[in-house]
Each structure stands twice: as C-alpha cells, then as structure tokens.
Amino acid sequence: MSTGLPAQGHVLVVEDEPRLAAVLGDYLAAAGYTHHWVADGNAALPAFHAQRPDLVLLDLMLPGRDGVEICRDLRRLGAVPVIMVTARVEEVDRLLGLEIGADDYVCKPFSPREVVARVGAVLRRHRAANARPSAAPLPAQAALLVVDATGRASVRGRELDLTPVEFRLLAVLHGALGRAFSRDQLLGRIYDDRRVVTDRTIDSHIKNLRRKLAEAGGSEDWIKSIYSVGYRMEL
Ligand code: CA
C-alpha cells in the first residue's frame, strides 16, 4: 500500500503465524511503514542482510532458529532495534537483559495498534540516540572501532598505524556499516586520480587493513568479502 508519503521506516517481521503477520503488515502499512515478512527462523538473518530493515519485529517461538538466537546474532551485527514478540511473560526480563538485548517487547495476544505504537517509539529513540553529537560518549559497541575526522583510527583505544589510503578506505567502510561497496565505488572514494590504480589495488589494501585491525585486537572478519560485489564492514 502506498500513501505517497516517504516511508516511516522499513520493518522486518519474523513471525510464523501467517494470520498474525498479515494483521501486523496491514497495521504497519496503514501507519506508513514498509515491511518484509519471513515465517521461518532460518530465513531471518538472510532477510536482514537483504532488506536492511530499520527495525526487526521478532517472534520468540519460531520454526528453525528461535528468536533468542536470532536476536543475539542481530546484536553482534550492529545496532538495529529489535522488538521481541512473546507469549511467555516470564521470559521478558531475560529478553531485555544484556544477554539477549532486545529493545522492547510485546506480549501475545497483542493489539496490533500497540505493536505499531511500540515500533514508532523504539525507532524514535534509536534515531535520537544515533543523532547525538560525536563528542558524546559512544555506546560500547561503537567504541570497538573509532574512526575520527583527523585521520586517526583506533580499536578499543589502540591506535592503528595506517597509510592515508588505508585510512580513507576504512573511513568509507566504517561510515556506512553494513553497506556493501563495489571495488569501483571504493576506488572512486579513496583516490583522486583513479587512472593510476586497478581493482586489485583495493584487494591488497583490504588485506593490509584487515591484518592491522586484527593486530590491534580487532578482527579481520570486520571487513566481509561479498562474492561478486565487493566489501562490507560489520562490527
Ligand atoms: Ca511463533
């Protein structure tokens, strides 16, 4: 359904009951959100990577992987807000605790109107938190890797010894966590004159950058190779 207005946000709905998913989808659309629905826990992470949602509405009990496992994985991948949907009230403390780290929860049976209100509240909170000035204290996850405007980068406070090109490459990837860049796009952003380099140049810079991240206590795996596309950074 299109309202002609810009979407309020894109929501990934992970829910194995089609009727519930359909009702949620209708209410989300009426409130101006776009959404994508998957019914199986195993489909949640692939859909997350493909859809890049602003928020995940995650049922706890699912076929395939359950909501707890999925939420932990989402937490490792970055700061996407997660609202857990559960019929087990006694689980709530654990779901919201550090171990699992959902941003909010709704209990089944729920009112779809309430779910949509929660979606709006969590998104507003999340966007406000991300809009904070860079001088403010960073959340623990963001503090893993800090790339500042003066050409310095550090892993958990340990400064990286980077060449100017490696720094620019890191700044581009880190400035858009989770976004895939082709080699060509990366070349365009890190070199003023691209005639002097080839696509393979990027690969060797990525290799060095990965090694330096790992040596400073980070992980080579923070920079993912995406087959036939290029690279993406995830912390
Ligand atoms: Ca379920």
Side-chain angles (χ1 to χ4, degrees), residues 15-17 59-63 108:
E15 167 61 67
D16 58 315
E17 294 173 52
D59 188 22
L60 183 64
M61 303 287 283
L62 292 160
K108 287 182 175 180

Side-chain angles (χ1 to χ4, degrees), residues 91-152:
E91 284 271 8
V92 165
D93 284 346
R94 197 163 78 93
L95 296 178
L96 297 182
L98 279 179
E99 185 200 353
I100 299 169
D103 294 83
D104 203 350
Y105 70 95
V106 283
C107 283
K108 287 182 175 180
F110 53 72
S111 118
R113 203 180 298 278
E114 188 202 336
V115 177
V116 171
R118 293 289 177 88
V119 167
V122 169
L123 272 177
R124 273 194 301 280
R125 206 164 71 205
H126 183 72
R127 285 171 177 157
N130 283 351
R132 84 178 92 209
S134 55
L138 292 158
Q141 197 142 24
L144 280 178
L145 174 64
V146 174
V147 179
D148 73 20
T150 64
R152 290 186 311 186

Side-chain angles (χ1 to χ4, degrees), residues 6-11 32-35 54 123 127:
Q8 302 287 312
H10 188 50
V11 178
Y33 298 95
T34 54
H35 76 283
D54 299 302
L123 272 177
R127 285 171 177 157

